[in-house]
Amino acid sequence: MTSPLFRTKQVEQSIRDTEEPEHALRKSLSALDLTVFGVGVIIGTGIFVLTGTVAKDNAGPATALAFVVAGVVCALAALCYAEFASTVPVAGSAYTFSYASLGELPAWIIGWDLVLEFALGTAVVAVGWSGYIQSLMDNAGWQMPAALGSREGSDVFGFDILAAVLVLVLTGILVLGMKLSARVTSLVVAIKVTVVLVVIIAGAFFITKDNYDPFIPDSKPVPAGESLNSPLIQLMFGWAPSNFGVMGIFTAASVVFFAFIGFDIVATAAEETKNPQRDMPRGILGSLFICTVLYVLVSLVVTGMQHYSELSVDAPLADAFKATGHPWFAGFISFGAAVGLTTVCMILLLGQTRVFFAMSRDGLLPRFFSRVHPRFRTPHRPTILLGVVIAILAGFTPLNELAALVNIGTLFAFVIVAISVVILRRTRPDLHRAFRTPWVPVLPIVSVAASLWLMLNLPAETWVRFGIWMAIGIVVYFLYSRTHSRLARGQGTEPGAPVGPSGPDTR
């Protein structure tokens, strides 16, 4: 394309940018570190909360199949991410991939989208973590003073200090280095997975087979609504998703998709991986497989312990154990949820800072933020900036209604990455690809269709908010980024420039 809006950044140039001393990140992560990061961010509120919601309202015991469907949609996208992350091992994930294939404006749009997705995700999880901590404190007989942001005093003071402090502490850990972050994450993920395994193993002894009858409850159509809270597909086609039945499983899948958000963040750490060509596919696909198996097992256990119609919405796992006469597990599960959300929050913050750093290094955001710390080799400036902003956001803002924006942002990124794989295969067939997405272009096309289907099941109100954020991003691009881009200033490789035979991706 000849338009400057669609100028692409050569893969070789992206690689060279990572070798500039003042902009280079330290390579310290292994395949195990990446897998731990993936598991750490995926296992969060979804496995502890959403299971009860979708079982009671949409799929019954067949919630396990809904997790499988959502996992398949993510797996399709994961195969595309794995090819890109191993071929273009540069910070920025979907932003960097689209810059190399679709062009600058699409890259800016997806980068802007990821900034929103990760910021809201971090803030939402921090608030959820605060709630679990306060619940544990209440169980121990100690209530936080209202002045410090207790749930009872939140309406008066309006600031959740626990959520804000969590974000600030994790910001400090990320500044100190990726290896420290990986060690903290490994410890916390070990605790979290242990809790999940205890739930599965202990809960298996309390399963009553009659609770699985029927495994797929009879379908109950939901009347089409006209509210912005209705799924977009209702307003467009007058079709409403079904509760229960086979279609209820797909409706449930669009809800439990939130439980899988995060595996794509593994791709943002490609530049800090020792052997990205080998380890990125292992980390992305491995973490997704592990979490899908755990989700399916947990949903089977909880719907077997208690009839789906009686499951609680707020704490289905804990309440299922209470219903079987084992209340001790309730506190144990709450502890696991609180510990688990710590890593989710940290890795979401990690993903956002890496995208922001990559956009800054390309000149689309101020280059001031692209310098790394001279000792820790981390992007400390964007990490501190975003950490403070998100801490304030998490402290002041009730974000439950905005959580769906995280879903739509992730699905939009999936669509862009799948399209980018097809385009880069055609425009740069010479690139060495350590991992190749199978069945191109069929699999990427199926990935796009599956992601769009789940997006259509999100509320129309979410689409409106997403559109407003994207419109703001377009304005910022034309007022600043378009003219400050390194490609615009002739500091990058333009389309059509000769590509040398050397370099890490041309073998």
Side-chain angles (χ1 to χ4, degrees):
M1 299 180 182
T2 58
S3 171
L5 300 180
F6 296 96
R7 54 197 172 208
T8 56
K9 182 178 181 181
Q10 293 288 340
V11 172
E12 289 79 6
Q13 181 62 41
S14 294
I15 298 293
R16 283 194 293 270
D17 287 348
T18 68
E19 298 169 354
E20 298 175 358
E22 60 185 9
H23 304 293
L25 300 173
R26 175 173 292 163
K27 297 181 182 296
S28 60
L29 300 180
S30 65
L32 177 61
D33 292 328
L34 296 173
T35 303
V36 168
F37 271 136
V39 173
V41 72
I42 296 172
I43 297 182
T45 53
I47 201 168
F48 296 109
V49 177
L50 290 180
T51 303
T53 301
V54 297
K56 191 169 186 177
D57 297 339
N58 301 114
T63 295
L65 299 180
F67 277 115
V68 172
V69 171
V72 168
V73 173
C74 290
L76 293 172
L79 290 169
C80 298
Y81 270 91
E83 173 170 327
F84 257 121
S86 60
T87 306
V88 193
V90 178
S93 185
Y95 158 75
T96 299
F97 307 156
S98 56
Y99 210 161
S101 54
L102 300 178
E104 185 171 281
L105 179 58
W108 166 263
I109 291 174
I110 193 63
W112 188 252
D113 160 61
L114 292 175
V115 167
L116 173 71
E117 172 196 341
F118 295 153
L120 290 181
T122 305
V124 168
V125 173
V127 172
W129 176 88
S130 174
Y132 274 110
I133 291 297
Q134 293 187 52
S135 175
L136 288 172
M137 292 167 61
D138 290 343
N139 291 340
W142 186 52
Q143 183 177 335
M144 278 187 61
L148 295 181
S150 73
R151 287 173 292 179
E152 289 74 11
S154 59
D155 292 338
V156 178
F157 293 91
F159 190 82
D160 190 335
I161 192 169
L162 284 178
V165 168
L166 173 67
V167 174
L168 293 177
V169 170
L170 296 180
T171 297
I173 292 175
L174 290 175
V175 168
L176 292 177
M178 279 294 289
K179 198 60 185 177
L180 174 62
S181 305
R183 289 169 180 166
V184 172
T185 302
S186 298
L187 174 63
V188 175
V189 169
I191 296 173
K192 176 165 57 175
V193 172
T194 299
V195 171
V196 172
L197 291 176
V198 168
V199 169
I200 293 172
I201 296 171
F205 290 96
F206 309 129
I207 291 176
T208 302
K209 65 178 182 179
D210 291 342
N211 289 332
Y212 290 135
D213 186 22
F215 190 76
I216 303 178
D218 293 335
S219 177
K220 297 179 181 179
V222 179
E226 298 181 357
S227 162
L228 281 178
N229 288 319
S230 303
L232 182 64
I233 197 169
Q234 287 189 22
L235 303 183
M236 292 175 62
F237 305 110
W239 177 86
S242 297
N243 282 344
F244 308 113
V246 175
M247 291 307 299
I249 295 174
F250 290 99
T251 302
S254 67
V255 178
V256 300
F257 175 80
F258 182 83
F260 287 92
I261 285 175
F263 82 85
D264 55 318
I265 292 179
V266 176
T268 67
E271 189 174 328
E272 294 158 275
T273 303
K274 297 176 183 177
N275 189 345
Q277 288 77 14
R278 181 195 67 189
D279 294 342
M280 288 307 301
R282 294 180 180 181
I284 293 173
L285 297 172
S287 59
L288 182 62
F289 175 77
I290 291 170
C291 293
T292 301
V293 171
L294 292 177
Y295 280 2
V296 170
L297 292 176
V298 165
S299 59
L300 286 174
V301 166
V302 72
T303 54
M305 292 176 63
Q306 189 175 20
H307 194 268
Y308 72 89
S309 62
E310 299 174 356
L311 287 173
S312 74
V313 174
D314 296 330
L317 302 188
D319 290 346
F321 277 101
K322 288 181 180 179
T324 58
H326 299 82
W328 177 85
F329 283 97
F332 184 67
I333 293 171
S334 295
F335 168 76
V339 170
L341 293 182
T342 305
T343 56
V344 177
C345 191
M346 183 173 73
I347 300 170
L348 284 170
L349 181 58
L350 163 72
Q352 186 188 43
T353 59
R354 270 43 178 183
V355 173
F356 198 97
F357 169 78
M359 296 175 73
S360 173
R361 190 165 57 188
D362 289 333
L364 299 182
L365 291 171
R367 290 269 289 173
F368 170 82
F369 295 106
S370 66
R371 295 184 181 274
V372 299
H373 193 281
R375 176 184 175 187
F376 304 123
R377 311 305 300 173
T378 56
H380 60 296
R381 291 173 177 173
T383 301
I384 294 172
L385 170 68
L386 295 171
V388 172
V389 170
I390 296 173
I392 296 172
L393 188 65
F396 277 114
T397 312
L399 294 169
N400 291 339
E401 295 182 1
L402 299 180
L405 278 171
V406 182
N407 275 23
I408 197 171
T410 301
L411 288 165
F412 180 62
F414 286 4
V415 170
I416 295 297
V417 170
I419 294 173
S420 298
V421 165
V422 177
I423 292 177
L424 200 63
R425 282 282 188 97
R426 294 179 63 88
T427 58
R428 291 300 308 276
D430 59 301
L431 286 176
H432 172 71
R433 292 167 169 84
F435 178 89
R436 297 177 68 89
T437 303
W439 307 309
V440 174
V442 175
L443 189 145
I445 291 173
V446 173
S447 177
V448 170
S451 297
L452 289 174
W453 172 258
L454 293 186
M455 290 174 74
L456 288 173
N457 281 280
L458 292 171
E461 185 177 23
T462 299
W463 283 83
V464 172
R465 290 169 172 166
F466 183 68
I468 292 173
W469 177 255
M470 289 293 104
I472 295 173
I474 293 295
V475 172
V476 173
Y477 174 78
F478 281 100
L479 290 181
Y480 178 87
S481 304
R482 184 186 182 192
T483 55
H484 288 78
S485 162
R486 294 186 70 196
L487 290 185
R489 295 173 176 239
Q491 297 175 333
T493 304
E494 295 287 0
V499 179
S502 61
D505 8 325
T506 54
R507 289 179 286 172

